[in-house]
């Protein structure tokens, strides 16, 4: 399809040139804010009414809003099939991920039961499947093994005197650590959700989250190698810990032939345990781990929730999701569960098997409960190697994310750098330190982007009111005498100086050099004026003395001459005075003329490229801090000293209000220097300098 075929039509606009004052008058700018005062907003938030109470309850407990409208005919069959499928998947995954958390397998079944029920009540996503997940489980496992290593539970064997591990005491301690960490992470998320802090997940970019998940998957794989090969290896923690795991496995490689015993899950007790308060005394040791675990779990939930929410046409409340995951972990902490998250593999299965509502979670929980109460013993002889294989198979989706590398190479190399740095940090620095380093690096890339914006000189496209980058578009031509400058990002305190430097470079006007020359020129002119004034004073003094001399001579001659010669004497005296007066007046005109001519010759043009106007396009700015205000004031002040007019265009309302509040506009910088569009400013400049009206004619403005 050619360019001519793509045209949808033409439009013609005829209106006056609009600066900020004209625009306020035409659009009738409000003199007061329509937003209620803070006092009124506080009163309204504290005011209670039945509709408001109902909305609050339904928002906090979403199941009350969707369950009464549940359609048995449309949704029940799909939810039933999906619930059974997810429940069956929960069983081996719960057992396997409990091993990742370094707790007995039955606690993985608890994690697949209590938190899932809580999410059905408080969650807003209809399709994600929460429960035990590899990443959060191994993060909990890292914490439990760090605080309760095997070396703390070594006892002497009464039979042969060798040291063995007191497995019972060790497992009790690790369950307490896992439950305490989970409870604390839930409290963090619940409080953050209640103060509407769900936007915090926006700091976790998608490339960073995906790379972090991939790096965590590598940790999971390495942690499952001992179970897969039937060897016993202590888990290391801290930076470069994975290198020690790998080294230990290599040392065992030559001894595999002598190891024939197969490790199995072991006893799975029947029934549910009563809730138990976790040991809060260890919160000081796990506070950092708890916060990281909570944020990672929430990030997984909200990412998957928004993906499937967009797919099926409903919204997922980020703040309520934070509250829901927090409550899941709080309740789970009291029932000795470990931290939960949404599983991508289970979520995909739930969507593909026809699950449509949170009823899927209720059905899967019932199935898990049956196994906890009666059928758990069926898994007691299941080899741990099988569970390791289940874990590895479920990590397939994480390792498929390595395909992000070629895709990001083509689309955005900065995001690719974030992806690679996050992966390396996660693998080498462990999951907690790696996450902090990854977030820090991701934030640095944002700062670097604002420090390295693209600065452009805009030119007019003939026959339109469009102004485009002259380096990108061949038809965009600069308007003689007018420089239009734009930055690709907002100007604030970190890049204000860069903005000034780029303005000088792009416009070709070295403001510092020109101001220095002007100062020197003004000094020379002042000295020349003083010299001319002194010369004029001397000439005036000479004339005055000459007049006094003539007057004295006239008086003497008047006394000595007779009456007949008096008139003749005065006539001669008058002729002489007139000639001298004419000479004096002519001298003053000559001085004035010379001074004016000298000033005009010295001033000349203010810049080498004959620029008389600079237009700053601020359409990309979304706020104006004190550095922005100060920089703009300096631009107006300095460029006007060299006879260059400055105009602003494209300011958003919030930016104009911030400039006004900061006292930017004054008699020297009126609001009339701010125009609605670049074209308005250009037309104003052309008319002000008596330039051609070609732009006006071609664009019908």
């Amino acid at each position: 399809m050619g360019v001519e075929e793509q045209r949808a039509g033409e439009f013609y606009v005829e209106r006056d040139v609009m600066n900020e004052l004209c625009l306020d008058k035409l659009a009738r700018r409000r003199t007061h804010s329509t937003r209620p005062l803070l006092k009124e907003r506080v009163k309204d938030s504290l005011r209670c009414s039945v509709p408001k109470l109902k909305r609050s309850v339904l928002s906090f407990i979403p199941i009350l809003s969707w369950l009464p409208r549940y359609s048995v005919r449309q949704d029940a069959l799909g939810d039933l099939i999906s619930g059974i499928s997810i429940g069956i998947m929960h069983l081996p995954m719960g057992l396997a991920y409990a091993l990742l958390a370094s707790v007995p397998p039955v606690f993985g079944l608890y994690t697949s039961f209590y938190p899932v029920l809580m999410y059905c009540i408080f969650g807003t996503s209809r399709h994600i499947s929460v429960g035990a997940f590899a990443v959060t489980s191994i993060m909990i496992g890292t914490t439990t093994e760090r605080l309760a290593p095997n070396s703390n539970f070594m006892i002497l064997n009464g039979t042969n005197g060798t040291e063995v591990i007191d497995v019972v005491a060790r497992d009790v301690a690790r369950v307490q650590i896992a439950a305490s960490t989970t409870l604390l992470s839930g409290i963090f998320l619940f409080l953050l959700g209640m103060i509407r802090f769900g936007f915090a997940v926006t700091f976790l970019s998608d490339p960073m989250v995906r790379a972090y998940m991939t790096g965590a998957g590598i940790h999971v794989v390495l942690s499952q190698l001992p179970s897969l090969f039937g060897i016993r290896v202590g888990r290391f923690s801290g930076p470069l810990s994975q290198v020690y795991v790998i080294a230990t496995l290599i040392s065992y490689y030559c001894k595999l032939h002598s190891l024939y015993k197969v490790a199995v899950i072991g006893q799975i007790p029947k029934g549910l345990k009563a809730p138990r308060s976790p040991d809060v005394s260890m919160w000081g040791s796990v506070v950092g781990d708890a916060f990281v675990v909570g944020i990672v779990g929430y990030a997984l939930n909200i990412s998957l929730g928004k993906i499937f929410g967009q797919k099926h046409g409903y919204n997922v409340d980020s703040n309520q999701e934070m509250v829901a995951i927090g409550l899941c972990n709080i309740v789970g902490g009291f029932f000795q569960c470990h931290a939960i998250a949404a599983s991508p593999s289970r979520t995909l299965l739930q969507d593909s098997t026809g699950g449509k509502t949170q009823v899927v979670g209720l059905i899967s929980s019932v199935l898990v409960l049956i196994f906890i109460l009666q059928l758990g013993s069926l898994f007691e002889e299941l080899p741990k190697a099988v569970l390791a294989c289940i874990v590895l198979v479920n990590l397939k989706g994480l390792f498929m994310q390595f395909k992000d590398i070629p895709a990001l190479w083509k689309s955005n190399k900065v995001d690719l750098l974030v992806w690679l740095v996050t992966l390396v940090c996660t693998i080498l620095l462990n999951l907690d330190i790696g996450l902090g380093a990854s977030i820090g690096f991701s934030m640095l890339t944002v700062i670097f982007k604002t420090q390295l914006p693209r600065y452009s000189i805009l030119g007019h496209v003939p026959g339109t009111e469009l102004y485009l980058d002259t380096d990108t578009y061949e038809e965009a031509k600069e308007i003689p005498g007018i420089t239009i400058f734009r930055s690709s990002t907002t100007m604030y305190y970190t890049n204000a100086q860069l903005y000034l430097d780029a303005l000088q470079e792009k416009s070709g006007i070295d403001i510092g050099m020109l101001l220095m020359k002007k100062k020197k020129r003004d000094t020379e002119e002042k000295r020349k004026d003083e010299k001319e004034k002194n010369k004029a004073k001397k000439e005036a003094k000479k004339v005055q003395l000459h007049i006094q001399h003539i007057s004295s001579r006239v008086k003497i001659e008047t006394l000595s001459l007779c009456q007949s010669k008096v008139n003749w004497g005065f006539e001669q005296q008058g002729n002489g005075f007139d000639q001298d007066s004419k000479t004096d007046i002519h001298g003053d005109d000559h001085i004035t003329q010379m001074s004016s001519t000298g000033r005009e010759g010295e001033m000349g043009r203010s810049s080498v490229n004959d620029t008389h106007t600079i237009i700053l396009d601020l359409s990309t700015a979304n706020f104006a801090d004190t550095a922005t205000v100060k920089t703009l004031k300096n631009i107006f002040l300095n460029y006007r000293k060299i006879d260059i007019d400055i105009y602003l265009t494209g300011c958003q309302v919030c930016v104009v209000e911030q400039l006004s509040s900061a006292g930017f506009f004054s008699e020297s910088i009126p609001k009339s220097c701010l125009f609605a569009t670049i074209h308005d400013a250009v037309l104003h400049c052309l008319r002000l300098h008596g330039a051609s009206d070609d732009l006006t004619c071609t664009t019908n403005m």
Side-chain angles (χ1 to χ4, degrees), residues 257-461:
H257 65 279
S258 62
L259 303 175
Y260 295 103
K261 294 182 179 180
V262 178
V264 297
I265 292 178
Q267 183 181 5
I268 299 180
K270 294 182 179 180
L272 297 174
K273 290 188 176 182
R276 179 181 175 183
S277 177
D279 186 4
V280 298
S281 63
M282 62 179 63
W283 280 1
S285 303
V286 301
V287 58
D289 304 88
F291 184 78
V292 173
V293 168
I295 292 298
V296 170
Y298 170 69
L300 293 172
N301 271 59
I302 197 64
S303 300
L304 285 174
K306 287 187 177 296
I307 290 173
F308 285 90
Q310 293 174 359
K311 178 180 178 181
H312 294 280
Y314 64 90
N315 294 324
V316 176
D317 188 342
S318 58
N319 292 303
Q320 181 59 28
E321 282 295 295
M322 188 170 273
V323 170
I325 300 301
L327 288 174
C328 290
N329 284 338
I330 289 174
V331 173
F334 282 103
F335 287 95
Q336 290 81 52
C337 302
H338 52 269
I340 65 153
S343 168
S345 57
R346 289 198 306 265
T347 300
L348 290 171
L349 178 63
Q350 180 170 329
D351 182 52
S352 61
T353 52
K356 297 181 180 179
T357 67
Q358 291 94 320
V359 172
V360 173
L362 296 174
I363 297 173
S364 66
S365 298
V366 171
L367 187 60
V368 173
L369 179 62
I370 293 173
F371 274 82
I372 292 175
L373 295 177
Q374 294 295 333
L375 304 179
S377 58
L378 298 177
F379 291 96
E380 291 180 353
E381 298 301 321
L382 184 66
K384 290 185 178 180
V386 174
L387 295 181
C389 292
I390 293 174
V391 171
L392 297 180
V393 169
N394 281 282
L395 294 176
K396 176 183 177 182
L398 296 183
F399 294 120
M400 291 295 290
Q401 293 178 156
F402 275 107
K403 293 183 178 180
D404 292 350
I405 295 178
L408 291 175
W409 175 263
K410 296 179 181 178
S411 60
N412 193 314
K413 291 181 174 58
V414 175
D415 285 345
L416 173 61
L417 185 61
V418 171
W419 201 100
L420 294 175
V421 170
T422 301
L423 179 69
V424 173
C425 290
T426 304
I427 295 174
L428 298 183
L429 302 180
N430 220 342
L431 295 174
D432 47 359
I433 302 177
L435 179 62
S438 302
I439 294 176
F441 182 79
S442 181
M443 296 297 293
L444 283 177
T445 60
V446 177
I447 296 175
F448 289 149
K449 288 178 182 178
T450 62
Q451 291 294 309
L452 300 173
R454 179 173 180 176
Y455 298 105
S456 306
I457 294 295
L458 306 185
H460 178 248
V461 179

Side-chain angles (χ1 to χ4, degrees), residues 31-79:
T31 57
H32 62 280
S33 175
T34 58
R35 187 180 182 184
L37 298 175
L38 177 61
K39 181 179 179 181
E40 296 298 327
R41 295 201 302 271
V42 172
K43 285 184 177 180
D44 184 66
S45 63
L46 298 177
R47 190 178 295 115
C48 185
S49 62
V50 175
K52 185 177 181 180
L53 179 61
K54 182 180 179 180
R55 289 195 303 269
S56 299
V57 172
L58 293 179
S59 175
F60 185 72
I61 311 177
I63 192 173
L64 297 179
S65 62
W66 62 262
L67 188 59
R69 300 196 302 267
Y70 184 77
S71 175
V72 177
R73 178 178 298 178
Q74 295 180 359
D75 302 333
L77 181 60
D79 287 345

Side-chain angles (χ1 to χ4, degrees), residues 454-459 468-474 476 478 506:
R454 179 173 180 176
Y455 298 105
S456 306
I457 294 295
L458 306 185
L468 305 177
D469 185 1
T470 55
D471 293 335
T472 304
Y473 298 93
E474 295 180 359
E478 289 191 55
K506 288 287 186 178

Side-chain angles (χ1 to χ4, degrees), residues 535-546 584 588:
K535 184 177 180 181
K537 287 181 180 179
K538 290 181 180 179
E539 293 293 335
K541 188 174 182 180
K542 289 181 180 180
V543 171
Q544 185 177 4
L545 292 175
H546 183 64
D584 177 47
D588 288 342

